[in-house]
Amino acid sequence: MPRLAATLVVLLPPLLLLSAAAALPPGGGGFGFEATLRHVDAGAGYTKAQLLARAVARSRARASTLQSLATLAPGDAITAARILVRASDGEYLMDMGIGTPPRYYSAILDTGSDLIWTQCAPCLLCVDQPTPYFDPSQSATYRSLGCSSPSCNALYYPFCFQNVCVYQYFYGDSASTAGVLANETFTFGTNATRVAVPSVSFGCGNLNAGSLANGSGMVGFGRGSLSLVSQLGSPRFSYCLTSFLSPVPSRLYFGAYATLNSTNASAAAGPVQSTPFVVNPALPTMYFLNMTGISVGGYRLPIDPAVFAINDADGTGGTIIDSGTTITYIAEPAYAAVRAAFVSQIRLPLLNATDASVLDTCFKWPPPPRQSLTLPEVVFHFDGADMELPLQNYMLVEPVSGGLCLAMATSSDGTIIGNFQHQNFHVLYDLENSLLSFVPAPCNLI
């Protein structure tokens, strides 16, 4: 019987810490902080249908950038890694203070890139943002970096001008930022866990193009040496994402606060599960996992695990977990197998997909009167871990067609596990042990 879901590179030295006492979690245990994450569209007055349409559109754009790697000539994948993410397609904003005294900004949190940057005055070319540009002359702790500094050498495109390190960063949506690479004191966390950290390397952008999606910069949480995770010397963070349709913000935990202990509200949530990260030399910043299969309705689909694997020849393919993509994109032919399983197990007419639709596994909704409906359970299988998705993490009502749709789409190159699928999971990135861990959690309550 089918199982059914419920009815509907250069290593930088760890930094010295200011306000260390304020950064200790209850009971001690080392440096860390908690932060609030806001969805980029929160509070903008969009309807639920508009929120969903905007999120799906951003996902399509971000995934198309990743898939473009498949068309590159051999040897170009490393260059493409530098411009993989799209600056305008972030999903969550994180507040942080820059300078002394601190000026507060909301930056796009991105697990797919490394650089921390904001727009700076004097701004020769800048894009709209909700806060004033950061003015280095008003901070007592701003220091531009020299061309021989380790941070400058860690840049993909370092450039030296009058003995000052100049950075350039290009994104997949033709957005870009360029300016001075500098060190500055950054302030993180909520009032109870606030901590100031000196000498964080960041980009002070004077020439910028593109869109910042209601933010004032970006903060990279990738695996490279310029990311916030690497620079703070406490290589672990976690997040618990509420539904992007919910007004309740999400939470980020860093360092000693990043733990899954006592996350579960009940034993029914299940145990913490862990799977190792996989390093892709062509895309070293991103978080790859070893996905081994997918089950639908209790049946393990006949998918060759090689469909989810990295291509050793050029670094294409593989499976990424990505906070900046909403829906999940599944590599062919795995997606075809998932779609076929849903079509065979759901007793509703299948809607015809339009050219403009990202979601093409959609059923007529609502069902006819007096017809009950059960939906097949979905499980993502990884090396050593199974992610059993709640119903609301893989089915949605698509605003254009009104159909009940699978919140997944096909990918011509690689698989991306999007944030829609791991909302209401507490997800821990443990770089020291190279593990991703997760457990179901009521993210609106913790």
Side-chain angles (χ1 to χ4, degrees), residues 17-370:
L17 302 178
L18 298 178
S19 305
L24 297 179
F31 166 74
F33 60 83
E34 298 180 8
T36 299
L37 299 180
R38 293 181 293 107
H39 194 267
V40 293
D41 287 335
Y46 295 113
T47 66
K48 288 187 176 181
Q50 290 171 326
L51 287 171
L52 179 58
R54 289 171 59 83
V56 170
R58 285 191 298 266
S59 288
R60 175 170 53 186
R62 188 170 173 104
S64 67
T65 309
L66 173 61
Q67 292 162 17
S68 68
L69 288 175
T71 64
L72 296 173
D76 283 349
I78 293 177
T79 299
R82 301 165 189 166
I83 59 173
L84 177 62
V85 297
R86 298 171 60 95
S88 60
D89 292 331
E91 289 292 304
Y92 293 93
L93 298 171
M94 170 185 167
D95 290 338
M96 59 186 184
I98 307 177
T100 306
R103 273 78 172 179
Y104 285 89
Y105 301 86
S106 291
I108 298 170
L109 183 151
D110 188 21
T111 54
S113 64
D114 296 327
L115 188 67
I116 306 162
W117 65 272
T118 190
Q119 300 188 108
C120 287
C123 210
L124 303 178
L125 177 65
C126 278
V127 300
D128 291 339
Q129 66 177 46
T131 54
Y133 306 133
F134 176 69
D135 188 347
S137 68
Q138 300 301 308
S139 173
T141 47
Y142 176 89
R143 300 288 184 274
S144 60
L145 291 175
C147 305
S148 61
S149 66
S151 294
C152 190
N153 290 329
L155 289 169
Y156 290 122
Y157 303 105
F159 180 70
C160 193
F161 179 72
Q162 296 182 346
N163 296 321
V164 173
C165 183
V166 175
Y167 77 95
Q168 302 173 78
Y169 220 70
F170 302 94
Y171 293 89
D173 54 357
S174 300
S176 63
T177 177
V180 174
L181 192 69
N183 275 0
E184 183 57 283
T185 296
F186 276 65
T187 303
F188 303 103
T190 57
N191 288 337
T193 67
R194 188 154 293 165
V195 55
V197 184
S199 301
V200 174
S201 297
F202 81 112
C204 200
N206 307 112
L207 291 166
N208 311 288
S211 169
L212 284 171
N214 299 325
S216 298
M218 296 191 71
V219 53
F221 270 68
R223 305 186 72 174
S225 57
L226 285 175
S227 77
L228 184 66
V229 185
S230 298
Q231 289 200 60
L232 295 193
S234 187
R236 56 189 295 125
F237 67 93
S238 67
Y239 52 68
C240 203
L241 302 179
T242 60
S243 168
F244 67 90
L245 299 176
S246 168
V248 180
S250 301
R251 304 290 291 179
L252 171 77
Y253 305 90
F254 198 93
Y257 282 89
T259 173
L260 303 187
N261 295 339
S262 304
T263 293
N264 316 43
S266 68
V272 173
Q273 300 196 60
S274 300
T275 185
F277 288 121
V278 177
V279 176
N280 182 350
L283 298 169
T285 286
M286 308 196 81
Y287 294 97
F288 281 83
L289 303 173
N290 181 15
M291 192 171 189
T292 58
I294 301 175
S295 291
V296 176
Y299 293 113
R300 184 78 172 243
L301 301 180
I303 303 170
D304 185 345
V307 171
F308 303 113
I310 298 167
N311 185 330
D312 291 336
D314 59 9
T316 57
T319 301
I320 297 166
I321 183 168
D322 180 33
S323 67
T325 303
T326 301
I327 64 173
T328 284
Y329 284 78
I330 302 176
E332 287 285 6
Y335 178 77
V338 172
R339 188 177 192 275
F342 268 83
V343 171
S344 68
Q345 295 183 36
I346 294 182
R347 296 179 179 178
L348 289 175
L350 188 66
L351 297 179
N352 292 327
T354 65
D355 292 339
S357 176
V358 176
L359 308 176
D360 67 353
T361 305
C362 296
F363 302 88
K364 183 177 175 58
W365 185 258
R370 297 181 297 277

